[in-house]
């Protein structure tokens, strides 16, 4: 972490240091210094508008959305619900919540290029902000919510690994809206998702 601060070319090292101190340890296991600097820039933007988003079209054909905002009940459900309602296939997500309530969420989409149309980036940015701030009603096409593949579902709840949180692990066949349904169920039962690690086998 000291190396991250020493090599930072920005002018707000104290702010970056606070950001680093507040983020969970697991955040740094998957974030390069460059990515941390970019995330901190999103944090600064989010403080002004309550929301910030970067869109990165990757060389492997996927597109990564990195979103920053303040934590709130049902936040993850609203994010994945909105993306699913726009037919976006979420193949992975990494959600990190800092002790000060700031959220950094990385979501990778596999079919962004297939869906892309002129102006889509701006549309997603504006409408996703509404969803994050609770000003968007999610509607999914029931006909599209059929499982892809046939896998026996597995669910495990671990209350021993962490002193502060319960760990829910599950495997299931993928389908449109799966993350939305799961996260909505968690939210409806008064539980808060502070960390998420989602992977989809393509």
């Amino acid at each position: 972490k000291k190396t991250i601060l020493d090599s930072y070319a920005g002018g707000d090292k104290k702010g970056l240091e606070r950001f680093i101190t507040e983020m969970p340890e697991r955040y740094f296991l998957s974030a390069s210094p460059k990515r941390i600097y970019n995330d901190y820039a999103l944090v600064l933007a989010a403080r002004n508008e309550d929301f910030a988003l970067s869109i990165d079209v990757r060389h492997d054909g996927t597109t990564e959305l990195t979103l920053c905002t303040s934590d709130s009940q049902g936040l993850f459900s609203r994010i994945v619900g909105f993306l699913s309602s726009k037919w976006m296939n979420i193949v992975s997500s990494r959600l990190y919540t800092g002790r000060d309530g700031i959220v950094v969420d990385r979501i990778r989409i596999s079919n962004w290029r297939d869906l892309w149309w002129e102006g889509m980036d701006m549309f997603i940015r504006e409408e996703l902000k509404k969803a994050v701030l609770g000003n968007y009603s999610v509607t999914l096409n029931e006909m599209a919510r059929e499982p892809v593949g046939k896998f026996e579902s597995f669910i495990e709840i671990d209350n021993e690994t962490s002193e502060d949180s319960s760990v829910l692990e599950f495997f299931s066949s993928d389908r449109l809206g799966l993350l939305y349904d799961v996260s909505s169920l968690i939210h409806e039962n008064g539980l808060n998702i502070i960390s998420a690690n989602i992977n989809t086998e393509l």
Side-chain angles (χ1 to χ4, degrees):
K1 295 178 182 179
K2 186 177 184 299
T3 302
I4 295 171
L5 287 170
D6 290 342
S7 58
Y8 180 56
D12 185 19
K13 283 195 175 183
K14 289 186 177 179
L16 177 63
E17 185 175 12
R18 285 195 299 271
F19 171 66
I20 291 173
T21 301
E22 295 293 338
M23 293 302 286
E25 193 65 33
R26 59 184 291 272
Y27 167 79
F28 300 97
L29 299 178
S30 61
S32 65
K34 181 179 179 180
R35 174 163 277 187
I36 292 172
Y37 303 151
N38 291 339
D39 288 349
Y40 181 58
L42 287 178
V43 169
L44 295 179
R47 286 176 181 167
N48 293 327
E49 299 187 21
D50 298 323
F51 171 85
L53 175 71
S54 69
I55 301 174
D56 178 25
V57 179
R58 299 169 55 86
H59 61 82
D60 61 1
T62 64
T63 297
E64 186 173 80
L65 310 183
T66 303
L67 179 154
C68 183
T69 188
S70 297
D71 193 21
S72 61
Q73 284 288 332
L75 174 64
F76 187 65
S77 177
R78 295 194 300 276
I79 293 171
V80 298
F82 166 78
L83 295 174
S84 296
S85 74
K86 301 309 174 188
W87 296 85
M88 294 191 179
N89 186 32
I90 300 170
V91 293
S92 71
S93 177
R94 301 290 184 271
L95 173 71
Y96 310 96
T97 304
R99 285 188 290 271
D100 60 349
I102 199 70
V103 171
V104 175
D105 190 4
R106 288 190 235 288
I107 298 178
R108 194 167 297 181
I109 308 293
S110 67
N111 61 342
W112 181 277
R113 292 180 180 179
D114 297 331
L115 298 172
W116 192 87
W117 43 269
E118 187 70 34
M120 189 179 85
D121 293 25
M122 183 60 67
F123 171 80
I124 293 298
R125 191 180 304 274
E126 293 175 353
E127 297 302 302
L128 184 54
K129 180 178 180 179
K130 293 178 184 177
V132 164
L133 300 181
N135 300 320
Y136 188 94
S137 178
V138 171
T139 301
L140 297 185
N141 186 337
E142 293 293 336
M143 295 298 292
R145 298 168 81 173
E146 293 294 328
V148 178
K150 295 181 179 179
F151 301 96
E152 184 176 351
S153 297
F154 167 82
I155 301 174
E156 182 175 78
I157 299 176
D158 178 4
N159 290 314
E160 297 180 359
T161 299
S162 172
E163 295 181 358
D164 304 317
S165 307
S166 294
V167 179
L168 170 65
E169 182 178 10
F170 75 91
F171 297 89
S172 174
S173 297
D174 192 22
R175 60 173 172 79
L176 179 68
L178 175 63
L179 288 179
Y180 175 63
D181 289 343
V182 172
S183 56
S184 292
L185 179 64
I186 292 173
H187 169 56
E188 288 165 4
N189 282 275
L191 305 175
N192 190 31
I193 300 173
I194 61 170
S195 176
N197 189 339
I198 293 102
N199 289 304
T200 303
E201 292 186 7
L202 299 175

